Amino acid sequence: MRARPSPLSSLIVLAGLGVLGVFAPAHADTIITNANGYTLNGKGELVQFSALAFDERGRITAVGTQAEVAAKAKNARQVDMGGRTVLPGLIDAHGHVFGLGQQLTQLDLSATTSLAAATGAIAAYAKANAGHAWIRGRGWNQENWKLGRFPTAAELDAIVADRPVWLERVDGHAGWANSRTLALAGITKATPDPAGGKIMRDANGEATGVLVDAAQELVTRVMPAQTEAEGRVMLDRALGEMARVGLTAVHDAGVGVQEDRLYRDYADKKKLSARIYAMIGGTGADFDQLAKNGPLRDYGDGMYALRAVKLYSDGALGSRGAALIKPYSDEPHSHGLLFFKSAQMDAMMTKAMRKGYQVNVHAIGDAGNKQILDIYRKELKATKSEAQRHRIEHAQVVAAQDIPRFQRLGIIPSMQPTHATSDKNMAETRVGPERIKGAYAWRSFLHQGSRIACGSDFPVESPNPFFGIHAAVTRMDHAGQPVAGWYPNQAMSLKEAFRCFTLDAAYAGHQENSLGSLEAGKQADFIVIDRDLFRIPTYDIFKTGVLETWVGGRQVFKK
């Protein structure tokens, strides 16, 4: 049975000044009128409005009916929405901004459905970019190719043998190299697997061309360093795409000194078209440099913050790098990879906690999640850091007994709904019929009172937040499969999905008092869309298009 159209439930139509805290401003520069507006209020209730006003600083001064707002914001510039639907700007709580920019500027294999299609695309790209010293790209997925194995260096050599080729898997947790790249990296039969990584090998022990997790560093350390000019191109392309799909804020899951410098420069020059809540990648040299003065809570009038740290517990499910308590159901000799022993991970987490940073740890397998929850249980009180709102990124496959620990410890599950609809073709094969019950288990988390911060993990998935809302509500792919949804008992309601991409994502970034809803005193971050999200059939949500994106009262995109 297909998902039914969404009922317009729990809706409050604004009729009084007190509902969203409307107050009389000294002056308002702009009024958005004739809107079919939806937002959440402080109680998490869905409310409707027809007008909002914001001042020259980009702060909302009034929200309500047209008469109410007009009376409180006289002589202001008016922008007529023509009855179109207006929503709060959507927030992606876990993305990789420069990774998105890289995907938009390099070879993108995410749409390929066979090895032959991929090799054809690689050959065409290599021919069109004859001057590139390296051929680089991302997005391949052997599961979508129905290959039953990883691709090989020999298959790349047949296309490009004269230049190094390096292509990251869709999840970024494996890379595919040709023989030239393996030679430059010094990888031979005698090269040992690094800690937290794996070199895929044939029956004779020779490297086949795919490197998993930490083994990728054998290649990345010999690649030419990214230039600042390349970084600017990537950032420009990513910001443009984010504005196009209606993202007004993104939590960037892993930045270093170079990315931080570019973000500050763009904020200074008012070139940021989305608010960036950044996580320092690791607790090594970049952390030591960036954390000298402690967390950066607000830079560039709310456009940039650097107050979190991103760590990795394990790998990804698709490449069998996610760490499992019991072996993989489809590979009984493998448990996946824990990147660090618990003592090492504890030391890194504690270092960041004591410096005042929110700690956000990637954990996909049930063993990875357990390791991180165990450390949080041990260190939260010792570091007195409960208020830092620590998170687990992905929380993808969690043992049933560990799900309640998120709520008891106050750990935010930062989850990506489109992972479920992308992984449904292999996830149960990987973990079996019992463990899958604790996988992509949004309803289990919501039922116990956890606030889920939703994102996409772009460029692993599309940055389009309506794809995420659609997946959260229907648990279907864009072809409407499976018809009843994949494990539909774990689906969200539309209001819950809307909240996890707005208020709860803002909460996960300590920004719920300024972002996540359209209320007086908050930032005027909003989008205009081409349909009424709360009146269309839920299975059509992913078709929603963005017509305009506004950040801080400034229009940053118009279709």
Side-chain angles (χ1 to χ4, degrees):
M1 181 178 68
R2 278 187 172 271
R4 295 181 178 178
S6 301
L8 198 60
S9 58
S10 303
L11 179 65
I12 300 173
V13 179
L14 293 183
L17 299 184
V19 179
L20 285 180
V22 176
F23 60 91
H27 173 69
D29 284 333
T30 305
I31 301 177
I32 300 298
T33 65
N34 196 19
N36 175 42
Y38 296 94
T39 187
L40 295 165
N41 63 15
K43 298 178 181 179
E45 299 166 321
L46 188 67
V47 298
Q48 196 166 24
F49 63 90
S50 56
L52 68 86
F54 53 87
D55 62 20
E56 69 280 358
R57 299 176 302 132
R59 291 276 181 175
I60 297 171
T61 55
V63 183
T65 66
Q66 299 212 165
E68 290 168 345
V69 174
K72 301 298 180 181
K74 296 178 181 178
N75 302 318
R77 173 177 74 112
Q78 295 199 8
V79 179
D80 191 334
M81 289 290 110
R84 294 175 300 175
T85 297
V86 175
L87 303 176
L90 298 176
I91 303 170
D92 191 309
H94 185 114
H96 303 273
V97 175
F98 288 85
L100 176 62
Q102 177 185 332
Q103 186 180 64
L104 293 169
T105 55
Q106 297 179 356
L107 175 60
D108 181 6
L109 296 172
S110 60
T112 58
T113 56
S114 68
L115 177 61
T119 55
I122 296 162
Y125 183 86
K127 183 178 179 180
N129 294 276
H132 287 195
W134 282 66
I135 300 299
R136 294 190 59 193
R138 182 172 180 148
W140 60 271
N141 185 348
Q142 83 283 0
E143 296 294 330
N144 290 344
W145 298 345
K146 307 293 191 291
L147 201 57
R149 60 172 175 82
F150 282 117
T152 67
E155 287 159 337
L156 283 179
D157 294 343
I159 311 162
V160 184
D162 61 331
R163 287 177 283 170
V165 179
W166 180 243
L167 306 168
E168 292 182 52
R169 193 179 184 277
V170 63
D171 54 20
H173 285 269
W176 179 20
N178 67 352
S179 295
R180 184 68 178 268
T181 302
L182 295 175
L184 285 172
I187 296 172
T188 68
K189 185 176 182 178
T191 305
D193 288 348
K198 184 176 183 180
I199 301 169
M200 302 302 294
R201 306 175 193 269
D202 62 19
N204 297 319
E206 300 285 354
T208 60
V210 168
L211 309 177
V212 179
D213 289 317
Q216 295 179 90
E217 296 172 14
L218 299 172
V219 168
T220 56
R221 70 188 182 193
V222 300
M223 289 172 55
Q226 177 184 296
T227 67
E228 182 175 309
E230 289 171 335
R232 288 181 182 276
V233 170
M234 291 178 184
L235 182 52
D236 288 339
R237 292 293 299 275
L239 289 170
E241 181 66 6
M242 287 150 50
R244 187 187 71 82
V245 298
L247 291 175
T248 58
V250 169
H251 299 184
D252 193 339
V255 307
V257 170
Q258 185 179 25
E259 291 84 2
D260 172 73
R261 183 167 59 246
L262 285 176
Y263 279 141
R264 292 176 193 244
D265 180 65
Y266 272 52
D268 289 339
K269 295 174 180 174
K270 309 213 179 289
K271 291 175 63 177
L272 279 181
S273 55
R275 302 180 194 278
I276 302 296
Y277 179 87
M279 314 174 199
I280 302 170
T283 55
D286 277 10
F287 176 82
D288 291 338
Q289 182 173 337
L290 293 171
K292 284 179 181 177
N293 298 316
L296 180 68
R297 288 173 166 78
D298 185 352
Y299 187 87
D301 193 23
M303 293 306 298
Y304 181 54
L306 185 69
R307 62 181 301 182
V309 168
K310 168 73 179 301
L311 299 171
Y312 285 87
S313 171
D314 64 351
L317 202 60
S319 53
R320 296 189 185 86
L324 300 181
I325 296 169
K326 295 181 179 179
Y328 276 83
S329 297
D330 61 348
E331 196 171 272
H333 64 275
S334 175
H335 285 76
L337 298 164
L338 276 176
F339 285 5
F340 302 98
K341 293 181 179 178
S342 291
Q344 294 172 296
M345 179 60 77
D346 191 329
M348 291 187 290
M349 292 171 64
T350 303
K351 178 180 180 179
M353 289 176 179
R354 292 192 185 282
K355 271 283 192 176
Y357 288 86
Q358 178 190 58
V359 175
N360 303 338
V361 189
H362 163 119
I364 287 184
D366 53 12
N369 278 279
K370 182 180 186 304
Q371 180 193 54
I372 303 310
L373 289 167
D374 286 348
I375 295 171
Y376 279 136
R377 179 180 58 80
K378 176 185 174 187
E379 300 295 354
L380 278 173
K381 290 185 178 179
T383 58
K384 296 181 174 60
S385 65
E386 295 97 330
Q388 286 156 229
R389 299 183 186 174
H390 303 300
R391 297 161 40 169
I392 287 184
E393 305 300 307
H394 310 306
Q396 201 161 305
V397 181
V398 185
Q401 64 270 25
D402 283 335
I403 291 177
R405 299 176 70 197
F406 281 76
Q407 180 68 359
R408 288 201 302 267
L409 294 170
I411 303 304
I412 297 171
S414 170
M415 306 174 83
Q416 299 74 45
T418 47
H419 281 341
T421 49
S422 293
D423 292 355
K424 63 183 172 59
N425 63 332
M426 61 83 185
E428 189 165 353
T429 303
R430 292 284 192 273
V431 302
E434 282 305 310
R435 282 182 293 193
I436 200 67
K437 295 175 183 177
Y440 317 91
W442 314 320
R443 173 57 47 202
S444 297
F445 281 101
L446 290 171
H447 181 71
Q448 69 184 14
S450 291
R451 295 190 187 201
I452 298 176
C454 278
S456 66
D457 200 13
F458 66 72
V460 176
E461 305 282 355
S462 167
N464 189 328
F466 292 101
F467 289 7
I469 294 172
H470 171 266
V473 174
T474 68
R475 293 181 71 102
M476 296 177 182
D477 60 25
H478 293 178
Q481 296 299 316
V483 172
W486 186 64
Y487 287 93
N489 60 308
Q490 291 290 351
M492 298 185 195
S493 71
L494 179 55
K495 188 176 80 168
E496 289 168 339
F498 181 55
R499 178 173 177 136
C500 82
F501 276 97
T502 54
L503 272 179
D504 288 345
Y507 177 85
H510 298 271
Q511 295 170 322
E512 73 277 11
N513 292 325
S514 59
L515 307 179
S517 62
L518 298 174
E519 301 180 76
K522 289 192 171 186
Q523 298 280 5
D525 295 359
F526 60 91
I527 59 175
V528 185
I529 58 176
D530 64 359
R531 63 200 70 200
D532 187 329
L533 181 68
F534 294 93
R535 292 188 184 275
I536 61 173
T538 55
Y539 46 77
D540 282 341
I541 289 171
F542 74 91
K543 298 176 183 177
T544 301
V546 175
L547 303 175
E548 299 177 23
T549 302
W550 295 64
V551 177
R554 178 169 61 102
Q555 189 180 76
V556 298
F557 169 78
K558 181 170 183 172
K559 186 173 181 180

